[in-house]
Every structure is written in C-alpha cells, then in structure tokens.
Amino acid sequence: MVRRSLRPHRALRWGLVVLLAAMLAAAPPHRASQAAPAPINGSGSSYVALAMQQWVADAQTRGLRVNYLPTGSPQGLMSFAQNLVDFAATEAEFSALQSGTDPPRGYQYVPSTAGAVAIMYNVQDKAGRKVDYLQLSRRTVARIFTGDISRWNDPAITADNKGLELPDQPITVVYRGGQSGTTALFYDFVANVAPDVFGPWAARNQFPTDVRIIQLDSSPNFAPRTQAFGGSDQIAQFIASPGGLWSIGYDEFGYSKVYNAPSAYIENGAGKWVLPFARNISAALESARLRPDLSQELSGVYNSTNPEAYPISAYSYIVTQCAPAADRPTCKGPYVNGGVAETLTQWLRYIACEGQIAMADIGYSPLPPNLSQEVANSIARMNGTAPETLTADNCPNPRFRGDTGPASPPPPLDAVDPAGLGGGGSSAATASRSAGAAGGGTGSDAGGGTEAAMGAAGRTGSVLSAGGGSRDWRAVAPVVYDRVAPALPVALPLMTLVALLVLPPVFMGHRRRGASRP
C-alpha cells in the first residue's frame, strides 16, 4: 500500500526533473566562471545623457554600480583611450579625433539607442506672440547654421512658412562649445544636404572636410551672431529662456522636452514636415548603413524619402573592450577585471531589452531588433562566449513587437499652413480642425490609414494639434521605475525546484515512520 501511495510522488519528481532540465537548457549562456559585479565608470556623449540617467538609475535597482559623466563624445573617447574609464558613450568615432589613432586597449562600438538632433528656437511673430510651429527645409537649416541666412525675415524662411514673414531681427546661432559628437553629427547632416553651402563655408573657417567637424570654437564667427554653451542642457535652457529670444540651436530632442523649447518641423526628402518623434526617428534610421564595425553612415538618413522620416536622426554607441575576434580587428583583449566585465555584461543586456522600453518617453526611439541583437553579440565578443539569441519572448524591447513603446506619442501630422493660424501664436482647436481638413478625414486617423501603415496621415480627434504636430508629448509623465521588474536570480527558481524534489519524499518518509509505530 505504501509503495502504491508513493508512485504519484515519484512521477511528480520525474516531472520536476524534466522541468528543471528544460529551464537549464533555455537559460541564456553564461561564462564558466563569473566574478562578482564591480563598480564601473564611463563618460562621453551628452546626446545620450537623458537615456543614461534612466539606465544608471535602473542599474542601481539591479544591484549594479554604474557612474557616468556627460563630458561630450570626443572627451569620452579620449578618456577611454587613456584607460581613465571603463566605457565611453559616443556618436563620433575614433577616426574623428585629432589623433585619428585607435586605442591600444582595443574597442568595439555597441549600439545603445536611437535619437535625433532637434532644431530648437525662440521666435515671436510681428504681434509679439510666441511661434511654436516654425517650418524649415533642410537647405534653410544648412544656410542658417553656416551664416548664409542671418535674419528671421529672410525670404527662404518666409517661403518655408507659406508666406508668413517673421520680424526683421538678427538670428543668434547657439552651438556647442568644445568638442562635441552632436556637433559632428549635425554638421555631417549639413555637409550632405547642402554641399555647395558647406564646402565654401568650411574653407572660409578652416574647418576640416575629410573628417566630421567636432569643434567650432576655432572659428567662433562662423555665423554673424553666435553663442556657445558647454552642454546640451545649457543650450536648451538658454534658448527656452527670455534671454534666448531670436536664437536657434541644435540639440538632442529630449532636452527640448525637458526645457519646453519648441522644435522646428524639418522638411524631409519626401517633402513632408516632421518632428523627431520616436516613430519618425525609427523611420529615418531604416535608411542608415552600418559599417562592419557597426559605426554608422547616415547619408541615406539625411535624404530619406520615407514620408515619416526625421532627417537628423542617428544611433548612439557605448564603447567597450572586447576579446580578439576575426570579425573585429579592433578587438585587442577582454577586461582584466572580471568584475567590470560582469557589470557591463548585465548592464548591456538590460540596455538591449528592458532599457529600450521608456526611450520614446524621453525623446529617443528604441533600437530595432537587429541592433538589440548586436548588443548581445557585443557582450559575447567582450567575454569570448557564444552570443545569446534575443527574441520577443526574452527581450521586452518594444520594437520586437513592432512598436516604439507603450507611451510613445503619435507621429506628427503634415504641418498646416502657419498663416492659417492668424499669423502667429497657436490655437490648438484651430490647428486640430485644419489638420483634420488637410488629412481628409476625422477620427483617430485623419488620413484614413492605420497606424501600422505608417503613412503621412496624422491624428485628430482626441489628440490636439498645433501647426500639424501632436501637443501630447510635453505632457508625458516623468519616467519612473514602473516597468518590468528586475530579473530574479537564477538560484531562486532552482532552490524552489530542489525543495519540491526533496520535501515530498521526506514528508512521506515521516508519514511511513509514524504509521509503523504501535
């Protein structure tokens, strides 16, 4: 009788053994020996600093100590080359530095997030009302930031804005002082969309043309009126302030959201006027070409004919060491400190997946699945192990599901005629009606298409618009850690299974001994 009563428990034990084996087989690959995570330090890009704030805060909830200083991409690369930091963040490559030489420790570019450079401005109309619907063609942008256009009533600006003439006021061009990856990215855009303007301008100011321009301070009079600031936050804060009236600058889009500085609608290669929302960034970067080392070639982005593409979009990278690999000649050797490698392993894995969830909320766009996979491949190169395969089942990056995140704002509408808004200021109700008429419909999709179609149609109805753009993005709640909980240690489910395997026979043995007593 006792043996028969134990058979179900024996079956349960075998079932749990099979379940345990399946769990171990499905677990991501681990190194043979893992060191305890050690604190890591990094520096570099201010373009990605808002994302870094989120990633560093989330690292703390996972028991990882990560420190990051936004010194600018070139300085971050130099600090990495000099072994002063464990990792760097950048939009520029080592080839853009004055030395132009690779660091002896070796390196790899690891994709981290997708972002965009916004054209922020502070302008009033002739009645003294704030303008927040400015439209600029790519060529007009290039001419402004090379000093070829120096007053707000220039005919090119008037033409871009359907005949709306702004006051006759001088334009103050706000730029990044010192070496900057954002400067390199922005003037690479200028060189591509208006080479006939860029070439003579660069020659006059003795700027290089064989590599990207990373610093403008050597010729601060590159435009008639200029103002330099040392950080992305300072640029946005100045432009948004009363003292920034009649100014215009280039900066990462997230700072436009932080400081409530308007961003211009930029005309893309399809003739559409767009803002750098997450889906517009994502659409543009479909035309990016990645070199074998994963550095980016963006001429296709700047000139993309995708109707939704925002043309000044780019990826940002984290730079790490890596073990020698046949497909990466720049990889010279792994980290000597195993604790540093372990922290980077866990943190980069988080960035590839959970770290992409909130990117649309703070002015970026999550990585596409192929680049999240490249992060996993980079982790493998860093440790000399086989890469983990990322899927929608094990990676909550929203791009694996075909969207840009649960709180991602809708893409902007094609901008309506600013003159239809009464010559200045913005009326959300007027703009919403104008946008609906321009789109040829009402409801949630003015153009009659679906969101998945990613066409040029925009939104009306519950989404208020001004100048053709959604006004919801500034109301996005601050990002807090309310997403996927940190992964439990592998040991916890294993301990639970062991308990389930051991306790039934112990319990039954106790019952058998009790039953045999007189």
Side-chain angles (χ1 to χ4, degrees), residues 260-288:
N260 203 28
S263 294
Y265 292 83
I266 307 300
E267 187 181 29
N268 63 22
K272 303 298 182 181
W273 304 91
V274 292
L275 286 173
F277 289 96
R279 274 179 53 188
N280 302 96
I281 297 169
S282 175
L285 291 174
E286 291 175 0
S287 300

Side-chain angles (χ1 to χ4, degrees), residues 138 267-272 274 280 283-288 298-311 454-456:
R138 290 170 297 157
E267 187 181 29
N268 63 22
K272 303 298 182 181
V274 292
N280 302 96
L285 291 174
E286 291 175 0
S287 300
L298 298 171
S299 59
V301 173
Y302 306 145
N303 298 291
S304 173
T305 56
N306 184 321
E308 286 199 333
Y310 180 79
M454 298 180 70

Side-chain angles (χ1 to χ4, degrees), residues 157-303:
I157 297 177
T158 302
D160 286 348
N161 289 273
K162 312 298 188 292
L164 175 65
E165 184 178 78
L166 296 173
D168 183 13
Q169 291 288 343
I171 297 174
T172 298
V173 173
V174 181
Y175 70 97
R176 273 290 297 276
Q179 296 184 345
S180 165
T182 308
T183 296
L185 173 61
F186 177 70
Y187 278 96
D188 186 48
F189 161 78
V190 171
N192 273 271
V193 300
D196 60 320
V197 174
F198 175 82
W201 170 80
R204 286 195 307 271
N205 292 279
Q206 298 183 325
F207 293 138
T209 56
D210 54 338
V211 294
R212 289 203 259 178
I213 298 172
I214 62 173
Q215 187 169 7
L216 298 170
D217 297 313
S218 61
S219 184
N221 297 320
F222 64 85
R225 292 171 65 98
T226 63
Q227 176 69 58
F229 287 96
S232 297
D233 55 340
Q234 298 171 31
I235 289 176
Q237 189 172 19
F238 171 77
I239 293 174
S241 72
L245 184 62
W246 310 119
S247 67
I248 190 168
Y250 58 91
D251 205 354
E252 204 287 316
F253 177 55
Y255 295 96
S256 173
K257 301 175 70 173
V258 171
Y259 292 102
N260 203 28
S263 294
Y265 292 83
I266 307 300
E267 187 181 29
N268 63 22
K272 303 298 182 181
W273 304 91
V274 292
L275 286 173
F277 289 96
R279 274 179 53 188
N280 302 96
I281 297 169
S282 175
L285 291 174
E286 291 175 0
S287 300
R289 290 196 302 110
L290 296 178
R291 302 182 181 98
D293 64 355
L294 296 187
S295 62
Q296 55 192 339
E297 201 287 315
L298 298 171
S299 59
V301 173
Y302 306 145
N303 298 291

Side-chain angles (χ1 to χ4, degrees), residues 41-43 52 73 76-77 80-81 85-94 103 105-112 316-322 330 335 344 347-348 382:
N41 299 301
S43 66
M52 278 289 180
S73 295
L77 291 177
F80 182 84
V85 294
D86 301 305
F87 68 93
T90 184
E91 292 78 54
E93 293 84 27
F94 281 106
R105 69 192 290 189
Y107 67 93
Q108 62 176 343
Y109 298 118
V110 184
S112 60
S316 188
Y317 303 101
I318 290 175
V319 179
T320 73
Q321 287 182 219
C322 45
T330 61
Y335 288 92
L344 279 168
W347 190 51
L348 290 175
M382 187 173 67

Side-chain angles (χ1 to χ4, degrees), residues 341-400:
E342 181 59 29
T343 300
L344 279 168
T345 295
Q346 295 186 31
W347 190 51
L348 290 175
R349 174 56 168 79
Y350 148 80
I351 288 174
C353 297
E354 290 87 347
Q356 300 298 314
I357 295 174
M359 289 299 96
D361 288 350
I362 55 177
Y364 302 91
S365 180
L367 291 174
N370 66 308
L371 289 192
S372 279
Q373 182 59 51
E374 288 293 350
V375 179
N377 297 346
S378 298
I379 294 171
R381 276 192 296 272
M382 187 173 67
N383 297 315
T385 60
E388 176 187 7
T389 299
L390 300 182
T391 67
D393 294 330
N394 63 12
C395 182
N397 176 349
R399 289 295 302 279
F400 278 91

